[in-house]
Amino acid sequence: MSKFLSALDRNAERWALLMFYVLLVVTMAVEVLRREVLAYSSIWGEEVVRYAFIYLAWIGAAAAVRERAHIRIDVIMHYLGPRAKAAIYILGDLVMLLVALVALYWSFESVAVSYKFGSVSHGLRISMVWFLLAVPIGFSLMILRLIQSFIHDVTALRTGKPVFEGNQLFD
């Protein structure tokens, strides 16, 4: 069971991103073929692509938190020692955690309003709650990854080991 949980911790966002990306690409390809070959398109295809993209964006934001891949200015970080870097990353994680907690709290308001009034999507006729949940799910995953990052950074600060700074895109 611990192997499964470990694999889930390492790859949950990847699996979800892959699923939504494949759904997006396949639906878009089918809709393009239907439009060009059959001169007919469905109303639901555009909605599936839109909502898959929304989930893709929010889960991708959580994956970026895990990989420390969000855009940041890190010129001064090259001149700091391991403890100072860890302290700055801890401060950044705490600020981001505070913002994510506030955003999570307020993101449930739109879900609650949609649930209360029973709004449904135009084409799919599915409750909008399922689509609006992308934002709270994304922020919840971000909070989980920020807590994990915070724990790793505090451990690095205590031991003096270098913190995980993310993978380098350009050297």
Side-chain angles (χ1 to χ4, degrees):
M1 184 67 168
S2 68
K3 280 187 178 183
F4 172 75
L5 291 177
S6 178
L8 188 63
D9 181 49
R10 279 191 319 274
N11 299 311
E13 288 94 349
R14 284 182 185 179
W15 294 334
L17 289 172
L18 178 64
M19 180 186 72
F20 283 113
Y21 188 71
V22 167
L23 176 66
L24 184 146
V25 169
V26 167
T27 306
M28 197 180 309
V30 166
E31 286 302 303
V32 167
L33 286 174
R34 286 177 71 178
R35 187 173 298 135
E36 297 300 322
V37 174
L38 303 175
Y40 173 78
S41 64
S42 67
I43 192 169
W44 58 265
E46 183 266 334
E47 278 190 4
V48 169
V49 170
R50 180 185 331 142
Y51 296 128
F53 185 76
I54 291 169
Y55 268 94
L56 197 66
W58 285 105
I59 294 171
V65 167
R66 184 184 191 285
E67 296 295 325
R68 284 218 161 116
H70 282 282
I71 296 172
R72 62 181 180 266
I73 299 171
D74 61 354
V75 174
I76 198 162
M77 298 295 268
H78 298 291
Y79 302 108
L80 298 176
R83 289 183 175 271
K85 281 183 184 180
I88 289 175
Y89 277 117
I90 288 170
L91 177 65
D93 286 348
L94 288 174
V95 170
M96 199 167 177
L97 181 63
L98 179 66
V99 170
L101 286 168
V102 170
L104 176 66
Y105 174 78
W106 288 108
S107 68
F108 278 113
E109 185 174 340
S110 62
V111 175
V113 168
S114 179
Y115 180 76
K116 179 180 178 183
F117 292 108
S119 61
V120 295
S121 66
H122 297 290
L124 295 170
R125 308 302 295 166
I126 296 174
S127 174
M128 286 298 294
V129 169
W130 296 108
F131 307 120
L132 294 171
L133 275 173
V135 179
I137 288 171
F139 277 115
S140 297
L141 285 171
M142 276 188 230
I143 290 167
L144 171 69
R145 296 307 185 183
L146 283 166
I147 291 169
Q148 290 175 333
S149 176
F150 179 77
I151 292 168
H152 290 298
D153 292 346
V154 167
T155 303
L157 182 64
R158 280 192 204 145
T159 61
K161 291 182 181 176
V163 293
F164 174 67
E165 297 185 59
N167 298 319
Q168 295 292 322
L169 185 59
F170 302 107
D171 285 328

